[in-house]
């Protein structure tokens, strides 16, 4: 059950992180090269990465404690 919850938290946090990162890249690109830059589907990529990474880091931290 704990693994399932950490996966859900990773998906939600990764999606929010992806939106923020995508906005930052777009603003920086607009300032630097006067064109909106970005990575297509970045929030989905980051949510998948965080859904894998968060349970791994949680298990590793519980093992060390």
């Amino acid at each position: 059950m704990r693994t399932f919850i950490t996966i859900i938290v990773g998906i939600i946090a990764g999606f929010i992180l992806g939106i923020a990162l995508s906005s930052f890249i777009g603003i920086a690109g607009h300032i630097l090269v006067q064109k909106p830059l970005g990575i297509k589907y970045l929030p989905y990529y980051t949510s998948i990465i965080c859904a894998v990474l968060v349970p791994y880091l949680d298990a590793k931290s519980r093992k060390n404690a």
Side-chain angles (χ1 to χ4, degrees):
M1 185 68 181
R2 183 176 173 105
T3 304
F4 179 73
I5 292 172
T6 57
I7 290 171
I8 297 300
V9 168
I11 289 172
I12 293 169
F15 192 78
I16 293 170
L17 176 70
I19 290 172
L21 189 59
S22 179
S23 297
F24 179 74
I25 291 170
I27 291 169
H30 190 65
I31 290 172
L32 296 174
V33 294
Q34 284 73 38
K35 284 191 210 174
L37 298 176
I39 300 171
K40 201 172 193 179
Y41 308 118
L42 182 63
Y44 300 113
Y45 296 145
T46 55
S47 66
I48 292 170
I49 290 169
C50 287
V52 173
L53 194 62
V54 169
Y56 171 75
L57 292 175
D58 181 52
K60 189 174 178 181
S61 70
R62 287 181 54 186
K63 189 179 185 182
N64 289 339

